[in-house]
Amino acid sequence: MDSQTSQPSQASPSPHTFQVDLRGLVDLLSHHLYSSPKVYLRELLQNAVDAITARRAEQPDAPALVRLYAGGGTLRVEDSGIGLSESDVHSLLATIGRSSKRADGLESARSDFLGQFGIGLLACFVVAERIRVVSRSARTPDAPPVEWTATDDGSYRVRTLPDEARTEAGTTVYLEARPGAADWLSGGRVLALARDFGSLLPYDVRVGDEKVTDLPAPWDRTYPSPATRRVALARHCHDLFGFTPLDSIELTVPLAGIRGVAYVLPSAVSPAQRAGHRVHLKGMLLTERAEQLLPDWAFFVRCVLDTDSLRPTASRESLYEDETLAGVREALGERIRSWLTGLAAGDPERLAAFLSVHHLGVKSLARHDREMLRTMLPWLPFETTDGRLSLEEFAQRHPVVHFTRTVEEYRQVAPIASAQGVGVVNGGYTYDSELIEALPSVRRGTVVAELDADTVTAHLDAVDPALELALSAFLAAARAKLDPLGCDVVLRAFHPLSVPALHLDDRAARHEQARADAEEQADDLWAGILGSLRGSAPRARLVLNHLNPLIRRVSSLDDRELIGTATEALYGQALLMAQRPLRPADSALLNRSFLGLLEWATHSNPPEEGHR
């Protein structure tokens, strides 16, 4: 058997340690990880709360105090937590990113903690140029206090202190402001930030003599009556968000560890506007701009809640998108859905007040939720030819629910359809056509049909064939005039008499017109391609009302040129009545017909008195 010559193994290169530029890291934190320097106070509070939690895990009766003292460009934060020994200081404060929870063997209890000690202190360099930590361990009470001092150039030193430097277990953090950042350490600013971040923390937190925590949370308090509770929550909403809500919705999901409240906005907002919700994590404010907390359809509420299950991102300023958050989002959406169902069943006046402002949000929900559509059917308002009605009421009046897909189509046909006794629903607004088409799925026997030009024309009275034959020359001249515009002319009799002409088209006709316009403006190659796409789509039509006196006089004219000018004027007026956007060709036609009629009126001889 052949043997191969073994090659001497190469020696493994010696490992190297990353060198961290602290100034660069602080710049990264302040400009890219954290949204504002104010998070430094949250990190200090988190460290203090975690230290107390760790101590109470071993000593349930240990004190739970956090005290902050600010002024003169300095801040002192004292806690009665687990404290640090000298070895803890070296392993935790000198190693960025290491968590005291892992180091202490408390990995299984990490859900009780908020942050990472090393990263938390590092964030303080955003506002401080020097940090000093004095700590005494509760685990090794015989160990002397230890001091860790660091500056923003990346250097630190550790030394032990005499016993009298700190007699009780716990930690004190001292900050000295960097140039230009003294305001962040002022008493007023520290108090405001502490109340914003820590009002729901489970321990006694004070800035000087001012209490920060305010427990229980407003939604967890006991009130004498439901009305008193509603007033108290409305006041809380106004203090927190700056508006007085239409109503409040309790958000309780015990399995997800969530307690809170949703406040209904008093005015309408765009569905595209991203809502900002306040989320507390184990009592500490995580973010006031959580956008992914609720389903998209629930854009009409603002939430504030406390959770112990949702996972924060690295900056701890937003929520991590995972299965837990998806489940919470669904559960909170169900709470809001249940609130709506409850209003429909027991409080129609409040429901009507809500829908008058936020019907769009409920429509958004109902188009995906058949049960919600069935519940809201008697309440959701729609624009119809019978006035503003619910679909339920409209369907009771009309055996066939006709609807248009656009507002333009509705404006074209609504006056005529109403006069002919044809009920039409405007489906051109957001979500409306989808809900109308879904109506048969929740209301058996309901017939829904899209209203097009052919349907409208079919409901108009035909003119006597002999009379139409007698007017064939007039109709031929009118059709020839409008043929270049892609519009036919038909004669019908309909009410109201005051409408001389009606312009009707549908989407297929508009698509064909758009194709023809593009073909006219295109070069030879594209004109050939667009020409090959020409279909047999129905054209727009100008329906002349033979019952109208003006149409009767125009149809009796003998001057073919004048007939053409009058037809153009009627066509333009019908477009304006339908509130259709005018193409350049339409605008030119209106101008031309106006000038033509003015020219004819000023040059023609006035009729004799006897023939008026």
Side-chain angles (χ1 to χ4, degrees), residues 363-398:
K363 287 181 177 180
S364 175
L365 168 61
R367 67 194 178 113
H368 296 302
D369 189 324
R370 289 293 179 264
E371 191 57 39
M372 181 55 64
L373 176 58
R374 184 178 288 106
T375 301
M376 291 291 114
L377 202 55
W379 308 102
L380 289 175
F382 288 78
E383 183 181 358
T384 78
T385 49
D386 292 353
R388 197 160 182 81
L389 301 175
S390 70
L391 287 181
E392 174 69 26
E393 187 175 357
F394 186 84
Q396 291 174 357
R397 298 183 181 185
H398 299 278

Short mmCIF file of all heavy atoms in Angstrom, two decimals, residues 363-398:
data_model
loop_
_atom_site.label_atom_id
_atom_site.label_comp_id
_atom_site.label_asym_id
_atom_site.label_seq_id
_atom_site.Cartn_x
_atom_site.Cartn_y
_atom_site.Cartn_z
N LYS A 363 -64.71 49.37 8.96
CA LYS A 363 -64.86 48.79 7.62
C LYS A 363 -63.62 47.98 7.24
O LYS A 363 -63.72 46.92 6.62
CB LYS A 363 -65.11 49.89 6.60
CG LYS A 363 -66.51 50.50 6.66
CD LYS A 363 -66.70 51.58 5.60
CE LYS A 363 -68.12 52.11 5.63
NZ LYS A 363 -68.34 53.16 4.59
N SER A 364 -62.46 48.49 7.61
CA SER A 364 -61.22 47.76 7.33
C SER A 364 -61.22 46.40 8.01
O SER A 364 -60.79 45.40 7.46
CB SER A 364 -60.02 48.59 7.80
OG SER A 364 -58.82 47.87 7.64
N LEU A 365 -61.72 46.36 9.24
CA LEU A 365 -61.81 45.09 9.97
C LEU A 365 -62.87 44.19 9.37
O LEU A 365 -62.65 42.99 9.17
CB LEU A 365 -62.11 45.37 11.45
CG LEU A 365 -62.51 44.18 12.32
CD1 LEU A 365 -61.39 43.15 12.36
CD2 LEU A 365 -62.86 44.65 13.72
N ALA A 366 -64.03 44.76 9.06
CA ALA A 366 -65.16 43.96 8.60
C ALA A 366 -64.89 43.29 7.25
O ALA A 366 -65.43 42.22 6.97
CB ALA A 366 -66.41 44.83 8.51
N ARG A 367 -64.06 43.87 6.41
CA ARG A 367 -63.82 43.25 5.10
C ARG A 367 -63.04 41.95 5.22
O ARG A 367 -63.04 41.13 4.31
CB ARG A 367 -63.10 44.24 4.18
CG ARG A 367 -61.70 44.58 4.58
CD ARG A 367 -61.18 45.79 3.84
NE ARG A 367 -59.84 46.13 4.29
CZ ARG A 367 -58.76 46.04 3.54
NH1 ARG A 367 -58.86 45.62 2.28
NH2 ARG A 367 -57.58 46.37 4.00
N HIS A 368 -62.35 41.75 6.35
CA HIS A 368 -61.62 40.50 6.57
C HIS A 368 -62.32 39.59 7.57
O HIS A 368 -61.91 38.44 7.75
CB HIS A 368 -60.21 40.80 7.09
CG HIS A 368 -59.35 41.55 6.12
ND1 HIS A 368 -59.07 41.08 4.86
CD2 HIS A 368 -58.73 42.75 6.22
CE1 HIS A 368 -58.30 41.95 4.22
NE2 HIS A 368 -58.09 42.98 5.02
N ASP A 369 -63.33 40.08 8.24
CA ASP A 369 -63.96 39.35 9.34
C ASP A 369 -65.47 39.32 9.09
O ASP A 369 -66.17 40.30 9.32
CB ASP A 369 -63.64 40.04 10.68
CG ASP A 369 -64.08 39.22 11.88
OD1 ASP A 369 -65.13 38.56 11.79
OD2 ASP A 369 -63.39 39.26 12.90
N ARG A 370 -65.96 38.19 8.60
CA ARG A 370 -67.37 38.09 8.25
C ARG A 370 -68.28 38.27 9.47
O ARG A 370 -69.36 38.83 9.37
CB ARG A 370 -67.64 36.73 7.59
CG ARG A 370 -67.04 36.62 6.19
CD ARG A 370 -67.74 37.57 5.24
NE ARG A 370 -67.16 37.51 3.90
CZ ARG A 370 -66.24 38.34 3.43
NH1 ARG A 370 -65.80 39.32 4.21
NH2 ARG A 370 -65.77 38.24 2.22
N GLU A 371 -67.85 37.78 10.62
CA GLU A 371 -68.66 37.92 11.82
C GLU A 371 -68.78 39.39 12.22
O GLU A 371 -69.84 39.85 12.63
CB GLU A 371 -68.07 37.11 12.97
CG GLU A 371 -68.98 36.98 14.18
CD GLU A 371 -70.32 36.37 13.83
OE1 GLU A 371 -70.36 35.43 13.01
OE2 GLU A 371 -71.34 36.86 14.38
N MET A 372 -67.67 40.13 12.08
CA MET A 372 -67.72 41.56 12.38
C MET A 372 -68.59 42.29 11.37
O MET A 372 -69.33 43.21 11.73
CB MET A 372 -66.30 42.14 12.39
CG MET A 372 -66.24 43.62 12.72
SD MET A 372 -67.05 44.07 14.28
CE MET A 372 -66.02 43.18 15.45
N LEU A 373 -68.55 41.88 10.11
CA LEU A 373 -69.41 42.50 9.10
C LEU A 373 -70.87 42.25 9.44
O LEU A 373 -71.71 43.16 9.34
CB LEU A 373 -69.09 41.93 7.71
CG LEU A 373 -69.98 42.42 6.56
CD1 LEU A 373 -69.92 43.94 6.43
CD2 LEU A 373 -69.58 41.76 5.24
N ARG A 374 -71.20 41.03 9.86
CA ARG A 374 -72.59 40.72 10.23
C ARG A 374 -73.03 41.56 11.44
O ARG A 374 -74.14 42.07 11.48
CB ARG A 374 -72.69 39.23 10.56
CG ARG A 374 -74.13 38.79 10.87
CD ARG A 374 -74.19 37.30 11.14
NE ARG A 374 -74.01 36.52 9.93
CZ ARG A 374 -72.90 35.84 9.63
NH1 ARG A 374 -71.87 35.85 10.47
NH2 ARG A 374 -72.80 35.16 8.52
N THR A 375 -72.12 41.74 12.40
CA THR A 375 -72.46 42.52 13.60
C THR A 375 -72.63 44.00 13.28
O THR A 375 -73.53 44.67 13.80
CB THR A 375 -71.35 42.36 14.65
OG1 THR A 375 -71.22 40.97 14.98
CG2 THR A 375 -71.68 43.13 15.92
N MET A 376 -71.77 44.51 12.42
CA MET A 376 -71.76 45.96 12.14
C MET A 376 -72.69 46.35 10.99
O MET A 376 -72.86 47.53 10.72
CB MET A 376 -70.34 46.40 11.79
CG MET A 376 -69.36 46.37 12.96
SD MET A 376 -69.75 47.63 14.20
CE MET A 376 -70.20 46.59 15.57
N LEU A 377 -73.29 45.36 10.32
CA LEU A 377 -74.10 45.64 9.14
C LEU A 377 -75.19 46.69 9.39
O LEU A 377 -75.42 47.58 8.55
CB LEU A 377 -74.72 44.33 8.64
CG LEU A 377 -75.16 44.29 7.17
CD1 LEU A 377 -74.00 44.66 6.26
CD2 LEU A 377 -75.69 42.91 6.83
N PRO A 378 -75.89 46.63 10.53
CA PRO A 378 -76.93 47.65 10.74
C PRO A 378 -76.38 49.03 11.09
O PRO A 378 -77.17 49.98 11.21
CB PRO A 378 -77.73 47.08 11.94
CG PRO A 378 -77.33 45.65 12.06
CD PRO A 378 -75.92 45.59 11.57
N TRP A 379 -75.06 49.16 11.26
CA TRP A 379 -74.53 50.41 11.79
C TRP A 379 -73.60 51.14 10.82
O TRP A 379 -73.51 52.36 10.87
CB TRP A 379 -73.76 50.12 13.09
CG TRP A 379 -74.55 49.35 14.08
CD1 TRP A 379 -74.43 48.01 14.35
CD2 TRP A 379 -75.60 49.83 14.92
NE1 TRP A 379 -75.35 47.64 15.30
CE2 TRP A 379 -76.07 48.75 15.68
CE3 TRP A 379 -76.18 51.08 15.11
CZ2 TRP A 379 -77.10 48.87 16.61
CZ3 TRP A 379 -77.19 51.21 16.04
CH2 TRP A 379 -77.65 50.11 16.77
N LEU A 380 -72.91 50.42 9.96
CA LEU A 380 -71.92 51.07 9.10
C LEU A 380 -72.61 51.94 8.05
O LEU A 380 -73.48 51.46 7.32
CB LEU A 380 -71.05 50.02 8.39
CG LEU A 380 -70.07 49.27 9.28
CD1 LEU A 380 -69.36 48.18 8.50
CD2 LEU A 380 -69.04 50.24 9.88
N PRO A 381 -72.23 53.21 7.92
CA PRO A 381 -72.91 54.11 6.98
C PRO A 381 -72.31 54.03 5.57
O PRO A 381 -71.10 53.89 5.40
CB PRO A 381 -72.66 55.49 7.60
CG PRO A 381 -71.33 55.35 8.30
CD PRO A 381 -71.26 53.92 8.79
N PHE A 382 -73.18 54.13 4.57
CA PHE A 382 -72.76 54.17 3.17
C PHE A 382 -73.52 55.29 2.46
O PHE A 382 -74.66 55.61 2.82
CB PHE A 382 -73.06 52.83 2.48
CG PHE A 382 -72.18 51.70 2.89
CD1 PHE A 382 -72.39 51.04 4.09
CD2 PHE A 382 -71.12 51.29 2.10
CE1 PHE A 382 -71.58 49.99 4.49
CE2 PHE A 382 -70.30 50.25 2.48
CZ PHE A 382 -70.53 49.59 3.68
N GLU A 383 -72.91 55.84 1.43
CA GLU A 383 -73.58 56.86 0.61
C GLU A 383 -74.44 56.15 -0.42
O GLU A 383 -73.92 55.32 -1.19
CB GLU A 383 -72.55 57.76 -0.06
CG GLU A 383 -73.18 58.88 -0.88
CD GLU A 383 -72.16 59.76 -1.56
OE1 GLU A 383 -70.95 59.53 -1.37
OE2 GLU A 383 -72.57 60.69 -2.29
N THR A 384 -75.71 56.45 -0.44
CA THR A 384 -76.63 55.81 -1.38
C THR A 384 -77.54 56.85 -2.00
O THR A 384 -77.62 58.00 -1.54
CB THR A 384 -77.50 54.74 -0.68
OG1 THR A 384 -78.56 55.39 0.03
CG2 THR A 384 -76.70 53.89 0.29
N THR A 385 -78.29 56.43 -3.02
CA THR A 385 -79.25 57.34 -3.65
C THR A 385 -80.45 57.59 -2.74
O THR A 385 -81.25 58.49 -3.01
CB THR A 385 -79.74 56.75 -4.97
OG1 THR A 385 -80.14 55.37 -4.77
CG2 THR A 385 -78.65 56.80 -6.02
N ASP A 386 -80.59 56.82 -1.66
CA ASP A 386 -81.65 57.05 -0.68
C ASP A 386 -81.16 57.85 0.52
O ASP A 386 -81.87 58.00 1.52
CB ASP A 386 -82.21 55.71 -0.17
CG ASP A 386 -82.96 54.95 -1.25
OD1 ASP A 386 -83.17 55.51 -2.33
OD2 ASP A 386 -83.34 53.79 -1.00
N GLY A 387 -79.93 58.35 0.45
CA GLY A 387 -79.34 59.05 1.58
C GLY A 387 -78.26 58.20 2.22
O GLY A 387 -77.85 57.16 1.69
N ARG A 388 -77.80 58.63 3.37
CA ARG A 388 -76.75 57.90 4.08
C ARG A 388 -77.39 56.79 4.91
O ARG A 388 -78.05 57.06 5.93
CB ARG A 388 -75.93 58.85 4.95
CG ARG A 388 -74.60 58.29 5.38
CD ARG A 388 -73.66 59.41 5.81
NE ARG A 388 -72.35 58.91 6.18
CZ ARG A 388 -71.38 58.61 5.34
NH1 ARG A 388 -71.58 58.75 4.05
NH2 ARG A 388 -70.22 58.17 5.75
N LEU A 389 -77.19 55.54 4.50
CA LEU A 389 -77.85 54.40 5.13
C LEU A 389 -76.85 53.29 5.39
O LEU A 389 -75.76 53.26 4.81
CB LEU A 389 -78.96 53.84 4.22
CG LEU A 389 -80.10 54.77 3.81
CD1 LEU A 389 -81.01 54.04 2.84
CD2 LEU A 389 -80.88 55.22 5.03
N SER A 390 -77.25 52.34 6.23
CA SER A 390 -76.50 51.11 6.37
C SER A 390 -76.87 50.18 5.21
O SER A 390 -77.94 50.30 4.60
CB SER A 390 -76.80 50.43 7.70
OG SER A 390 -78.13 49.92 7.70
N LEU A 391 -76.02 49.21 4.92
CA LEU A 391 -76.33 48.25 3.86
C LEU A 391 -77.55 47.42 4.22
O LEU A 391 -78.32 47.02 3.34
CB LEU A 391 -75.12 47.34 3.62
CG LEU A 391 -73.92 47.96 2.91
CD1 LEU A 391 -72.82 46.93 2.74
CD2 LEU A 391 -74.31 48.55 1.57
N GLU A 392 -77.73 47.14 5.50
CA GLU A 392 -78.89 46.36 5.93
C GLU A 392 -80.18 47.09 5.58
O GLU A 392 -81.11 46.50 5.00
CB GLU A 392 -78.81 46.12 7.44
CG GLU A 392 -80.01 45.45 8.04
CD GLU A 392 -80.16 44.01 7.61
OE1 GLU A 392 -79.12 43.38 7.28
OE2 GLU A 392 -81.30 43.51 7.60
N GLU A 393 -80.25 48.37 5.90
CA GLU A 393 -81.45 49.14 5.61
C GLU A 393 -81.66 49.32 4.11
O GLU A 393 -82.78 49.24 3.61
CB GLU A 393 -81.38 50.50 6.30
CG GLU A 393 -82.66 51.32 6.22
CD GLU A 393 -82.58 52.61 7.02
OE1 GLU A 393 -81.55 52.84 7.69
OE2 GLU A 393 -83.56 53.38 6.97
N PHE A 394 -80.56 49.53 3.39
CA PHE A 394 -80.67 49.71 1.94
C PHE A 394 -81.16 48.43 1.28
O PHE A 394 -82.01 48.46 0.38
CB PHE A 394 -79.32 50.12 1.36
CG PHE A 394 -79.34 50.47 -0.09
CD1 PHE A 394 -79.70 51.74 -0.51
CD2 PHE A 394 -79.03 49.52 -1.05
CE1 PHE A 394 -79.75 52.07 -1.86
CE2 PHE A 394 -79.08 49.83 -2.41
CZ PHE A 394 -79.43 51.12 -2.81
N ALA A 395 -80.64 47.27 1.72
CA ALA A 395 -81.04 45.99 1.13
C ALA A 395 -82.49 45.67 1.43
O ALA A 395 -83.15 44.97 0.64
CB ALA A 395 -80.13 44.88 1.64
N GLN A 396 -83.02 46.15 2.54
CA GLN A 396 -84.43 45.95 2.84
C GLN A 396 -85.32 46.73 1.88
O GLN A 396 -86.45 46.32 1.60
CB GLN A 396 -84.72 46.36 4.29
CG GLN A 396 -84.10 45.45 5.33
CD GLN A 396 -84.28 45.98 6.74
OE1 GLN A 396 -84.83 47.07 6.95
NE2 GLN A 396 -83.81 45.23 7.73
N ARG A 397 -84.82 47.85 1.35
CA ARG A 397 -85.61 48.69 0.46
C ARG A 397 -85.52 48.25 -0.99
O ARG A 397 -86.45 48.51 -1.78
CB ARG A 397 -85.16 50.15 0.56
CG ARG A 397 -85.33 50.77 1.93
CD ARG A 397 -84.91 52.25 1.86
NE ARG A 397 -85.02 52.92 3.15
CZ ARG A 397 -84.81 54.22 3.32
NH1 ARG A 397 -84.52 54.98 2.26
NH2 ARG A 397 -84.92 54.76 4.52
N HIS A 398 -84.41 47.64 -1.38
CA HIS A 398 -84.17 47.35 -2.80
C HIS A 398 -83.86 45.87 -2.99
O HIS A 398 -82.95 45.34 -2.35
CB HIS A 398 -83.01 48.19 -3.32
CG HIS A 398 -83.25 49.67 -3.23
ND1 HIS A 398 -83.98 50.36 -4.17
CD2 HIS A 398 -82.88 50.58 -2.30
CE1 HIS A 398 -84.04 51.64 -3.82
NE2 HIS A 398 -83.38 51.79 -2.69
#
